[in-house]
Amino acid sequence: MEDILAGLNEEQKEAVLHFSSPLLVLAGAGSGKTRVITHKIMFLIKELGIPLDRILAITFTNKAANEMKERVKNYLNLSEEPQWVATFHSFSAKVLRIEAKHIGFNRNFVIYDEEDSKKLLKEIVEKLNLDKDLYKPDRLKNIISQIKQNLDEEVLDFYAMQMPHIKQIYNQYQERLIFANAMDFDDVLLNTVKLFNENPEVKQKWQDKFDYILVDEYQDTNKVQHEILKHIVGNRDCITVVGDPQQCIYTWRGANPENILDFEKDFPNTKIIKLERNYRSTQKILNVANKVISASKGRWKEKVLTLWTDKEEGEDIKLIALENDKQEAGLIASQIKKFVNEGYEYKDIAILIRMSFLSRNIEEALVKASIPYQIIGGVKFYERAEIKDILAYLRFALNPKDIQAFKRIINLPSRGIGNKTLNKIQTFYVEDWKQALEDALPSLSKKLQESINQFLEIIEYIQNNADKSPAETAKYVYDSIDYENYLKSKYPKDWEDRVENVKELFNALEELEKRGKTLREFLEETSLQQAQDSIEELNSVKVMTVHASKGLEYNVVFVAGLEDGIFPSGRAFEDVEQMEEERRLFYVALTRAKEHLILTFAKNRSSFGYNYNQTKPSRFLKDIKEYLKTLKPAIKSVSGKSKNHSNVSSSSSLDFKVGQIVKHDVFGKGVIKSLSPPKAKVIFEKAGEKEILTKFLKVV
């Protein structure tokens, strides 16, 4: 037992050892909450003799789940990773794979991502011949998510006042999902609640499966997730949840803070333990964070934690006011250079912004300064067109009812199958689209029969081989449809990069085989991807929104754009609850920093790149002004050029220079970082670092 409790403080030990009633651990930022959950799992196994597969641990992100799996696996010297450490979505998906028949689904159901859902909604709006400006897929998807996350179809009545056809759209959307043996992201949770509500014996089976349940980031759970938890726990005391009301920043996408505030009502005799000792930040950073959050209003005030550390006081928190947004971005770039010269690595540094549009100037400044960077939360790998194309073949083979996958691949590459032929095929639909194609064959022309037979051969091959070797099966699809030539013709400017992306997919599938996972599990994981999952372990500065930074930490943190209307958002000015959430968001931003925290704002910010508008400093800065060291910046050039950067590369046929600004037809503007003819490494404003043939570059 001693080794399990070693290194824990008194409050952490108390949380690990408490089992006599439900436990709510209020854990401040950087207070070691993941450590508590991991050590409690170890205690359950080593000291109480509970098998690992009878412990359910739920976290909020895939990244956190993977880290926890790794810790438990290493501590227990396991050959395989724990099966029941998961997010709410991945846990629910696993349950539904086993129990889908009880709610009218086939276990091979597919999970639609945002793009799939929006395409389906667009089709419904077109079929109903509705106003496309009023019924935009983005807006419709958001409304449908609200309804599902709040377990409240009355939301439909509210929107119906402005959008009279919203109920019809919602009903058709659900009908089409069921018809395609598909669920959207929200349905994965909603259908788990439905399963347990309608099937008491199934619910009992899953309650009996787990002896103990632990949940992290409880402040971010929504009503549906809370319901799932109540079903799994039942009237037992076998529950520990960990969270921090001060870090609840997702109410806009369904997070329900009442879950943590009312936890004691739903789980009687709850014990509360507070973790307020911070292991991440210096005391000066914590002083600022404590001051910000102490101004919270309403019910939050009851559960406000006061963070402290026995670390050194640390560096002053710096506030820098710049004349305009270009200068702000330039200063951040020059400060990053300074930190790197002092021994920090680029990967130790993050730039946090409230709104993603602020990244443009920052990216330009980083490019000019030859600073490698990564934008977190851009287009995710599994959302790229070329990846979705190959995966759609695999998806369709596993679930031939999947109409979105079918529409994507039936004419990719072109097989001469237009809408007229598709409509004809649809008349033969009984069980699924594969059966419809087979039955439609005799009624089609010889040429179409040949094309469809080739398509069906590919699908048959996938069905017979996908589980044996997912990577080889994907390569077979790539070769069979001559996908490289398709990419060359469709994307002449960047087809090489797209080919490299597909090769990376093959690598991911090979890794899948080594882990002993099935293709079905892989497709499930990719459909449940999150922003933080795209973070690569590169030596680069990370640029991200504050929302995307949740759970992360960096030695040096810049919080940019601290102006009223940006941070806090202008939408919060008339809404007390929204303003409170903006305050919590600012608290999250501050507590990402370990050693250095630099706050910046621009006195003038450009509107659409042309006119400058005068700004006001963020109202949050007034609360903490006595804790800040205000600096007057000396604006220097941040071109990033060293003396040798002016030398012409003699081997470059087009006389390119290192440090020169160039333009690429696809990636836009960038700066040449190094030359090795006929290629150049270029840091692009939007796409980051790329190796490009110089013949595709133009001097700006």
Side-chain angles (χ1 to χ4, degrees):
M1 185 165 99
E2 285 303 315
D3 60 331
I4 294 174
L5 300 178
L8 299 179
N9 64 37
E10 289 309 307
E11 291 77 18
Q12 289 173 331
K13 283 179 189 173
E14 189 182 3
V16 168
L17 297 173
H18 182 82
F19 293 99
S20 58
S21 69
L23 176 63
L24 168 60
V25 180
L26 295 175
S31 64
K33 61 187 173 62
T34 308
R35 192 175 171 83
V36 166
I37 292 175
T38 309
H39 282 249
K40 191 151 188 164
I41 292 171
M42 293 169 188
F43 189 89
L44 285 161
I45 294 164
K46 290 278 191 180
E47 300 299 322
L48 301 185
I50 295 175
L52 179 58
D53 65 356
R54 294 191 62 79
I55 299 166
L56 173 63
I58 297 180
T59 69
F60 198 67
T61 65
N62 296 319
K63 185 174 183 291
N66 290 333
E67 284 171 3
M68 196 179 293
K69 281 179 188 175
E70 202 59 35
R71 287 193 198 188
V72 173
K73 183 181 171 185
N74 292 341
Y75 181 82
L76 298 172
N77 292 318
L78 303 174
S79 55
E80 293 180 8
E81 60 185 31
Q83 187 185 357
W84 295 106
V85 177
T87 64
F88 268 105
H89 280 91
S90 56
F91 166 72
S92 298
K94 278 184 181 180
V95 171
L96 292 173
R97 290 281 171 221
I98 297 166
E99 312 290 357
K101 64 181 180 186
H102 293 287
I103 52 167
F105 281 85
N106 180 298
R107 68 187 303 270
N108 293 332
F109 66 83
V110 69
I111 301 169
Y112 275 13
D113 63 16
E114 286 289 300
E115 186 189 337
D116 293 325
S117 292
K118 286 172 187 174
K119 273 187 178 175
L120 179 53
L121 286 164
K122 188 181 176 191
E123 287 171 18
I124 292 167
V125 169
E126 284 173 358
K127 190 172 182 183
L128 294 173
N129 200 22
L130 300 174
D131 182 345
K132 290 176 185 175
D133 290 328
L134 179 60
Y135 295 98
K136 288 181 177 173
D138 278 10
R139 191 180 181 205
L140 291 170
K141 183 66 181 70
N142 286 338
I143 292 168
I144 289 169
S145 278
Q146 274 185 52
I147 293 160
K148 293 179 178 182
Q149 289 171 5
N150 289 293
L151 291 170
D152 186 4
E153 288 202 21
E154 286 182 15
V155 174
L156 275 175
D157 295 324
F158 171 77
Y159 284 106
M161 291 187 283
Q162 295 174 301
M163 307 165 81
H165 295 279
I166 186 76
K167 287 186 182 180
Q168 192 179 4
I169 293 168
Y170 179 80
N171 291 334
Q172 284 205 21
Y173 175 72
Q174 288 305 112
E175 284 166 15
R176 292 225 202 168
L177 282 172
I178 293 165
F179 184 72
N181 192 33
M183 302 180 195
D184 68 16
F185 200 64
D186 298 305
D187 284 332
V188 174
L189 300 178
L190 207 57
N191 284 333
T192 306
V193 172
K194 182 183 178 187
L195 172 74
F196 291 148
N197 278 337
E198 295 177 1
N199 301 274
E201 73 291 349
V202 174
K203 178 167 81 169
Q204 189 63 52
K205 169 185 158 185
W206 284 91
Q207 280 183 5
D208 293 344
K209 182 168 181 57
F210 299 111
D211 292 326
Y212 208 85
I213 296 104
L214 307 99
V215 187
D216 194 7
E217 302 285 9
Y218 203 66
Q219 75 282 346
D220 291 327
T221 54
N222 61 30
K223 284 183 179 178
V224 190
Q225 290 162 332
H226 188 66
E227 285 298 310
I228 291 170
L229 193 67
K230 286 201 290 184
H231 280 302
I232 293 292
V233 175
N235 57 7
R236 300 177 294 167
D237 290 335
C238 58
I239 173 78
T240 290
V241 303
V242 184
D244 181 5
Q246 295 158 198
Q247 294 186 71
C248 179
I249 58 172
Y250 291 111
T251 59
W252 52 276
R253 74 172 188 204
N256 182 32
E258 305 303 312
N259 290 350
I260 201 166
L261 296 173
D262 291 338
F263 186 78
E264 299 133 278
K265 289 181 186 173
D266 286 317
F267 298 93
N269 305 316
T270 291
K271 181 177 178 64
I272 296 177
I273 296 173
K274 292 184 177 182
L275 303 183
E276 297 181 296
R277 182 179 180 181
N278 177 283
Y279 292 91
R280 176 186 298 157
S281 308
T282 63
Q283 190 60 52
K284 283 191 175 178
I285 291 170
L286 297 182
N287 289 343
V288 171
N290 286 334
K291 179 67 176 172
V292 165
I293 209 66
S294 66
S296 293
K297 296 179 175 71
R299 292 185 64 200
W300 298 94
K301 202 138 186 87
E302 303 164 24
K303 289 186 166 66
V304 163
L305 304 171
T306 303
L307 299 180
W308 63 276
T309 183
D310 55 7
K311 279 187 173 186
E312 69 281 1
E313 259 208 320
E315 296 292 321
D316 289 327
I317 313 307
K318 298 176 180 69
L319 173 65
I320 309 175
L322 287 303
E323 283 303 314
N324 58 52
D325 44 6
K326 293 279 184 194
Q327 285 189 11
E328 179 187 41
L331 177 118
I332 289 171
S334 64
Q335 288 287 309
I336 289 170
K337 286 284 191 187
K338 183 168 162 282
F339 281 115
V340 170
N341 289 338
E342 290 171 2
Y344 287 96
E345 293 188 78
Y346 288 119
K347 66 182 179 183
D348 298 328
I349 302 169
I351 305 168
L352 307 186
I353 50 180
R354 172 64 184 88
M355 297 173 185
S356 53
F357 79 86
L358 295 171
S359 71
R360 189 179 61 83
N361 284 321
I362 291 167
E363 287 187 74
E364 283 179 8
L366 296 177
V367 167
K368 284 179 186 172
S370 298
I371 293 171
Y373 69 93
Q374 186 188 359
I375 299 287
I376 309 305
V379 177
K380 298 175 203 152
F381 179 76
Y382 292 105
E383 288 177 3
R384 296 176 188 276
E386 60 274 18
I387 303 302
K388 289 198 73 154
D389 288 346
I390 300 296
L391 289 183
Y393 270 91
L394 305 182
R395 252 174 65 175
F396 180 71
L398 293 184
N399 176 22
K401 288 177 180 286
D402 185 352
I403 189 168
Q404 293 303 321
F406 175 66
K407 285 182 176 178
R408 188 176 191 106
I409 62 174
I410 188 59
N411 215 29
L412 187 158
S414 177
R415 298 183 174 92
I417 299 171
N419 286 335
K420 191 177 172 184
T421 308
L422 271 178
N423 289 336
K424 192 170 188 180
I425 292 165
Q426 190 163 359
T427 62
F428 290 88
Y429 187 100
V430 179
E431 292 175 6
D432 59 50
W433 293 101
K434 184 170 176 260
Q435 159 268 317
L437 284 171
E438 290 165 347
D439 291 351
L441 273 175
S443 66
L444 301 174
S445 68
K446 287 271 189 251
K447 192 176 178 185
L448 279 175
Q449 284 183 28
E450 193 178 324
S451 291
I452 289 172
N453 273 322
Q454 287 171 353
F455 174 80
L456 289 169
E457 275 176 31
I458 294 169
I459 300 305
E460 292 261 349
Y461 181 92
I462 299 168
Q463 289 175 330
N464 293 331
N465 295 278
D467 279 337
K468 293 179 222 162
S469 178
E472 287 305 315
T473 305
K475 287 174 189 172
Y476 166 83
V477 172
Y478 181 84
D479 293 334
S480 297
I481 64 174
D482 197 11
Y483 194 62
E484 187 165 314
N485 275 325
Y486 168 80
L487 289 176
K488 281 181 186 176
S489 61
K490 184 159 187 187
Y491 307 104
K493 291 171 182 171
D494 69 336
W495 67 271
E496 288 165 304
D497 283 332
R498 291 175 186 268
V499 168
E500 289 305 312
N501 286 337
V502 176
K503 286 181 182 173
E504 187 54 40
L505 172 65
F506 299 155
N507 292 338
L509 288 165
E510 280 168 9
E511 185 62 32
L512 172 84
E513 289 175 42
K514 288 177 192 167
R515 286 162 60 204
K517 293 214 166 191
T518 65
L519 180 60
R520 220 170 252 111
E521 287 174 299
F522 177 78
L523 292 173
E524 196 166 282
E525 283 178 14
T526 60
S527 63
L528 300 177
Q529 284 270 316
Q530 294 153 309
Q532 288 187 5
D533 301 338
S534 65
I535 298 178
E536 297 173 56
E537 293 304 316
L538 305 172
N539 186 22
S540 59
V541 172
K542 305 298 183 278
V543 182
M544 67 187 92
T545 64
V546 183
H547 283 102
S549 76
K550 181 87 177 300
L552 304 177
E553 59 183 34
Y554 296 91
N555 289 319
V556 180
V557 170
F558 293 86
V559 185
L562 280 168
E563 297 136 37
D564 259 7
I566 292 177
F567 205 169
S569 161
R571 285 175 301 192
F573 289 172
E574 305 301 321
D575 187 317
V576 174
E577 285 188 11
Q578 277 195 42
M579 187 59 76
E580 285 299 292
E581 181 143 339
E582 293 288 318
R583 178 178 296 282
R584 297 193 296 275
L585 194 59
F586 187 41
Y587 172 84
V588 167
L590 300 174
T591 52
R592 299 311 94 201
K594 293 163 78 173
E595 297 170 14
H596 296 273
L597 179 59
I598 301 100
L599 313 177
T600 67
F601 70 91
K603 295 175 185 175
N604 299 280
R605 190 165 292 279
S606 58
S607 173
F608 303 108
Y610 300 105
N611 303 320
Y612 275 97
N613 296 322
Q614 202 168 358
T615 69
K616 287 182 180 177
S618 169
R619 60 193 63 196
F620 295 146
L621 294 172
K622 291 175 190 169
D623 297 338
I624 55 174
K625 58 186 177 186
E626 69 266 33
Y627 295 98
L628 305 177
K629 183 176 181 180
T630 305
L631 299 183
K632 288 185 179 177
I635 305 299
K636 294 178 183 176
S637 164
V638 288
S639 66
K641 294 181 186 177
S642 55
K643 288 177 185 176
N644 67 344
H645 278 188
S646 60
N647 295 334
V648 177
S649 174
S650 57
S651 56
S652 173
S653 59
L654 292 179
D655 239 18
F656 285 107
K657 302 175 187 177
V658 173
Q660 197 167 35
I661 297 178
V662 290
K663 190 176 181 185
H664 184 272
D665 285 343
V666 173
F667 301 123
K669 282 186 184 178
V671 171
I672 295 178
K673 180 183 177 184
S674 63
L675 283 162
S676 50
K679 293 184 177 181
K681 276 192 180 172
V682 181
I683 303 176
F684 290 99
E685 292 176 358
K686 300 291 181 194
E689 187 171 314
K690 299 272 183 189
E691 192 168 49
I692 299 283
L693 290 166
T694 53
K695 67 181 180 181
F696 294 122
L697 300 174
K698 295 173 192 166
V699 177
V700 175

